[in-house]
Amino acid sequence: MGTLIFGLAGVLAFVTGLTLELDWLCFWSKPVPMLALLLWLRAAPSGPYRRWIVIGLLLSLLGDMLLAWPADLFVFGLGAFLLAHLAYLRAYLLHTRRLAPLALWVAAGCGAAIFALLASGGLGSLLLPVGCYALAISTMLWRALARLGMGLDRQSALLAAGGAALFVLSDSLIGINRFVSPFTGASYLIILSYWLGQGGIAASAMAHSNAISSSTIPPAPPQEIGYSN
């Protein structure tokens, strides 16, 4: 409960900073929700899936601060988020490497559409980095969707797929707002979809860890029934 309140306080502070145009409040409150997710996952049983999700969250936190820093560190922030997507990709590959053609087509279509839209705005020297990033996020989405219907923990698979989709949406909105056409409310939509996406991914690790922990608990020995004269 404490970490939830901590995270929600960060969300409220950041949204207040956006509304009142208080850059200092946005800067200091932006990492709070991610820190709350990391603290929350400390309670989850350890395992390789949780470990890679935590690495992705840490890299995302780094990307947050690089993008929020009062200097043009966009490329470095992009690099941190690229590594975060690769960490999530590694986590998803732990459970299945099946082709999943439908998931592949959906993810490839999303990635191609995003890249084509951003390229239409004129990326210049960022064409190659953004292209690599679009490939990474679409691959991450593909592998998240591929976990669905695999007989894995259903809750974990759904949370990971939903979180990945929201993360892709947030990244797409950033690109559209920066390179194509700025739009009203972009900052709110970007950050809220981003936090919801990261929350879904983190929750998938919690659900998976709990499911694994429950399945390894040995059954209780049968109780003997005693009879008294």
Side-chain angles (χ1 to χ4, degrees):
M1 179 61 75
T3 54
L4 175 62
I5 295 173
F6 178 56
L8 289 177
V11 171
L12 180 60
F14 186 86
V15 171
T16 300
L18 281 180
T19 303
L20 301 179
E21 299 183 354
L22 301 175
D23 292 341
W24 64 269
L25 183 57
C26 289
F27 179 80
W28 290 109
S29 61
K30 189 176 184 182
V32 171
M34 296 298 292
L35 289 172
L37 289 177
L38 287 164
L39 290 172
W40 179 54
L41 277 183
R42 290 182 61 189
S46 62
Y49 184 76
R50 190 200 72 163
R51 181 170 62 251
W52 281 106
I53 296 300
V54 167
I55 291 172
L57 290 171
L58 287 169
L59 288 166
S60 297
L61 177 59
L62 175 61
D64 280 340
M65 299 315 296
L66 288 172
L67 293 181
W69 198 261
D72 188 7
L73 300 177
F74 180 78
V75 173
F76 296 100
L78 192 72
F81 279 114
L82 173 63
L83 294 176
H85 285 302
L86 294 179
Y88 293 147
L89 172 62
R90 180 68 182 89
Y92 301 147
L93 285 171
L94 291 171
H95 296 144
T96 180
R97 300 199 176 194
R98 70 186 183 109
L99 182 61
L102 179 58
L104 174 59
W105 279 109
V106 170
C110 289
I114 292 168
F115 181 68
L117 182 60
L118 299 184
S120 68
L123 294 172
S125 61
L126 290 176
L127 182 66
L128 181 59
V130 171
C132 292
Y133 192 84
L135 177 61
I137 63 173
S138 56
T139 303
M140 185 273 294
L141 177 61
W142 168 35
R143 299 321 305 169
L145 295 175
R147 293 176 75 239
L148 295 170
M150 281 299 298
L152 301 167
D153 178 63
R154 185 170 181 270
Q155 184 181 19
S156 174
L158 287 172
L159 286 167
L166 284 168
F167 203 163
V168 171
L169 173 62
S170 178
D171 283 341
S172 303
L173 294 174
I174 290 175
I176 293 169
N177 187 60
R178 183 181 178 93
F179 299 114
V180 182
S181 177
F183 59 94
T184 304
S187 298
Y188 297 97
L189 291 175
I190 288 168
I191 198 64
L192 292 177
S193 59
Y194 167 71
W195 280 331
L196 286 172
Q198 294 281 23
I201 292 171
S204 78
M206 178 66 78
H208 177 72
S209 295
N210 288 337
I212 293 297
S213 179
S214 298
S215 67
T216 56
I217 296 176
Q223 296 182 349
E224 296 184 0
I225 302 176
Y227 296 92
S228 59
N229 294 325

